[in-house]
Amino acid sequence: MRLQLAALLCTVLVSGFDLGGVLAECPPTGSVLDRLDDIDLTAAARTREFELQPPKSLYERAAARPGKVVVKNDGKIGQAVLMSDLPIETLWMAINDEDHYAEDGYIPVLHSEVVGGTSRGQDRILFQYFKRAGVGRWWIDQVVMSDGLFVDSDATLWELRWWDLMETRDETSLPEELSQSLTDLGLSPIRESRGAWLMIPIAASCTLIEYVTYSDPGGFLSLAQWLGAGRVIRDTLEGVEKLAREHIPTPHEDSRFVSPDGTPVVASEE
């Protein structure tokens, strides 16, 4: 989508948020891993469609360190897992509130806007761009909720996946003001991207968040992806959790959030 590009493009790192120590609401490590063993994680689209499957060791490390983002970065592939003490509904609303990603520096992108479909809807088109210290790119992604996975898993797997539309859309297809912004910033388009968010409820106030991405920004930036990518991926997950804590509880009268199957969803009480 997009956020992953920030990870691959970034040569100036941003500071992360300290999420604190062990979370009281999350079960012991063994219990978390037992629950994950009972779930077919390979049923998610990030495995079936994109061949992006985090290793078991990433879940083991995250389960042992609740509140800490665990990252594995390997060239163009980035993977991260976080055990959060927030309810899944609140976190799901946060990752789907893309029009507010760039506000207050929650996510390391300069601009994030739904330009096709319905904001926070099951199927939409997202435009984003990133630039820091003269380095940046822009991208357009198709963003889709995995409704069948949600239903088949009895609401155990909440997935939001994306893939780029760079071959079918270009700068001229964007609204004029956005195209002008790209011109003013001197930004080039990315070459390729795809990925997914996957959330799993572990307990009422304990959610496993997984983020996987494959991205090729193109040009010399493909080499720069080795520098700082892990830090920005970490900042992305921590920023989403911060958005969930600070922004999602505020009034959203003009916004409609839905679960992967299209039914309304509201933030749960912690």
Side-chain angles (χ1 to χ4, degrees), residues 130-141:
F130 170 88
K131 185 174 185 179
R132 186 172 288 130
V135 179
R137 288 287 189 270
W138 66 272
W139 55 93
I140 299 177
D141 290 327

Side-chain angles (χ1 to χ4, degrees), residues 9-159:
L9 303 176
C10 187
T11 57
V12 179
L13 307 182
V14 296
S15 301
F17 306 102
D18 182 4
L19 298 182
V22 175
L23 306 182
E25 296 295 338
C26 285
T29 302
S31 298
V32 173
L33 296 177
D34 286 344
R35 171 156 175 73
L36 294 178
D37 285 340
D38 291 334
I39 301 171
D40 181 11
L41 298 177
T42 65
R46 55 94 160 100
T47 301
R48 293 183 294 100
E49 297 180 11
F50 302 149
E51 298 182 350
L52 295 172
Q53 175 67 50
K56 185 175 181 180
S57 60
L58 209 60
Y59 301 112
E60 293 172 343
R61 290 165 55 199
R65 302 180 62 202
K68 300 294 183 180
V69 178
V70 178
V71 177
K72 184 178 188 296
N73 187 59
D74 184 12
K76 297 175 183 178
I77 297 176
Q79 304 169 100
V81 178
L82 167 66
M83 291 281 297
S84 173
D85 65 343
L86 291 175
I88 194 168
E89 294 86 356
T90 303
L91 289 162
W92 178 256
M93 292 168 70
I95 68 166
N96 283 280
D97 203 12
E98 294 135 333
D99 289 335
H100 291 104
Y101 273 10
E103 291 186 7
D104 300 319
Y106 284 118
I107 306 298
V109 292
L110 285 182
H111 187 88
S112 180
E113 181 179 350
V114 173
V115 295
T118 303
S119 294
R120 308 169 193 88
Q122 288 179 282
D123 192 334
R124 54 195 186 264
I125 296 174
L126 180 68
F127 167 77
Q128 293 180 321
Y129 61 75
F130 170 88
K131 185 174 185 179
R132 186 172 288 130
V135 179
R137 288 287 189 270
W138 66 272
W139 55 93
I140 299 177
D141 290 327
Q142 186 75 53
V143 182
V144 179
M145 297 180 185
S146 298
D147 54 344
L149 177 70
F150 180 79
V151 173
D152 293 343
S153 68
D154 294 325
T156 295
L157 298 175
W158 300 50
E159 185 181 45

Side-chain angles (χ1 to χ4, degrees), residues 167-181:
E167 292 186 358
T168 58
R169 296 175 69 95
D170 56 32
E171 184 176 345
T172 61
S173 68
L174 292 171
E176 182 177 353
E177 65 274 13
L178 296 182
S179 294
Q180 187 60 51
S181 295

Side-chain angles (χ1 to χ4, degrees), residues 32 36 59 81-83 198-200 202 206-210:
V32 173
L36 294 178
Y59 301 112
V81 178
L82 167 66
M83 291 281 297
L198 183 66
M199 295 188 176
I200 303 168
I202 302 298
C206 182
T207 304
L208 183 143
I209 312 170
E210 174 201 298

Side-chain angles (χ1 to χ4, degrees), residues 216-233:
D216 182 359
F220 80 93
L221 291 175
S222 295
L223 300 176
Q225 62 197 4
W226 295 94
L227 303 174
R231 176 69 262 178
V232 180
I233 291 174

